[in-house]
Amino acid sequence: LGIKSFAVLSDGTVYQNINKSAKLRKLEKQLKRKQRCLSRKYEDVKKRNKKKGEATRQNIQKQLLRVQKLHQRIDNIRADYMNKTIAEIVKIKPSYVTIEDLNVSGMMKNRHLAKAVAFQKFYEFRIKLETKCKETGIELRIVDRWYPSSKLCHKCGCLKKDLKLSDRKYICECGYHADRDFNA
């Protein structure tokens, strides 16, 4: 699982990050606008203080409903993509599925990554995958968060200790080079 791409499978299948799609970006832009409008309505009420009364409260309620519907629509799109991804993974009937135990709470402390991590919903993905694997009888293996999966060579097993997060390509001494996520 990752931020650049949602999930990378060992057979080379890459599930793109749904949050980078044009449809979701457009909806998030609309959400920003509608939330700004709602905020202005609240500020207006504070300034005038009971001047327009009932009509203003109704307008605030209508705008609040619009914002809530947009939040729900965005959430439904993300949940649908996640469910379809899990269904595709399980449909190929692997003998086992292995995922990393990510330090999500640590990632959320990084203010540059927090929003992207929250939108990916790694924990929800893990819970849904566990449930689906139990239903279909597939073993789910969870790799320890300290296991150096990205630093180990896929071919020879050599450990590359100086690999930084900014290095997106994995290049080994044995000549093997591939995308960092695919190698992991």
Side-chain angles (χ1 to χ4, degrees):
L1 300 175
I3 294 172
K4 183 182 150 205
S5 52
F6 182 63
V8 179
L9 303 184
S10 59
D11 64 353
T13 310
V14 177
Y15 294 100
Q16 295 304 318
N17 184 349
I18 186 78
N19 298 310
K20 293 181 179 179
S21 69
K23 186 176 184 179
L24 261 180
R25 286 191 181 200
K26 182 182 170 188
L27 287 173
E28 284 175 0
K29 197 173 180 182
Q30 282 178 14
L31 180 64
K32 257 187 201 175
R33 249 186 247 124
K34 295 205 186 297
Q35 284 177 326
R36 213 177 304 135
C37 183
L38 179 64
S39 177
R40 275 198 300 270
K41 287 182 190 302
Y42 273 120
E43 292 300 318
D44 243 11
V45 169
K46 280 184 187 175
K47 283 181 190 174
R48 290 184 218 180
N49 209 6
K50 298 180 185 175
K51 200 172 188 181
K52 288 192 176 177
E54 190 63 36
T56 309
R57 271 185 271 149
Q58 286 177 347
N59 287 340
I60 288 175
Q61 287 302 316
K62 281 191 265 182
Q63 189 63 29
L64 188 62
L65 190 64
R66 288 183 195 121
V67 169
Q68 288 171 344
K69 280 183 179 177
L70 210 46
H71 268 296
Q72 187 177 20
R73 186 168 176 211
I74 291 170
D75 195 45
N76 287 345
I77 290 170
R78 286 188 183 123
D80 182 56
Y81 183 73
M82 189 182 304
N83 290 337
K84 285 179 180 175
T85 303
I86 291 169
E88 281 182 39
I89 291 170
V90 172
K91 193 165 78 173
I92 52 178
K93 299 238 188 266
S95 55
Y96 62 88
V97 176
T98 308
I99 59 170
E100 285 180 293
D101 178 28
L102 296 172
N103 183 13
V104 179
S105 60
M107 291 175 170
M108 292 297 286
K109 289 177 185 171
N110 183 340
R111 65 187 176 94
H112 300 292
L113 294 175
K115 185 179 176 186
V117 170
F119 286 162
Q120 288 294 73
K121 298 184 178 183
F122 293 137
Y123 186 70
E124 188 178 331
F125 178 81
R126 178 177 164 174
I127 296 299
K128 286 183 176 182
L129 185 64
E130 282 176 1
T131 307
K132 198 74 166 175
C133 284
K134 269 186 189 170
E135 288 174 7
T136 54
I138 297 170
E139 179 189 356
L140 181 70
R141 297 177 182 174
I142 297 167
V143 178
D144 181 45
R145 69 176 63 166
W146 302 113
Y147 183 74
S149 59
S150 297
K151 296 179 180 183
L152 278 176
C153 179
H154 178 68
K155 293 277 184 187
C156 67
C158 179
L159 183 67
K160 187 174 184 178
K161 290 186 178 182
D162 62 334
L163 190 70
K164 293 178 277 206
L165 192 59
S166 59
D167 299 334
R168 298 312 305 166
K169 289 276 184 194
Y170 182 87
I171 301 166
C172 185
E173 300 157 1
C174 68
Y176 175 75
H177 63 278
D179 182 57
R180 174 198 179 106
D181 294 330
F182 179 72
N183 179 58

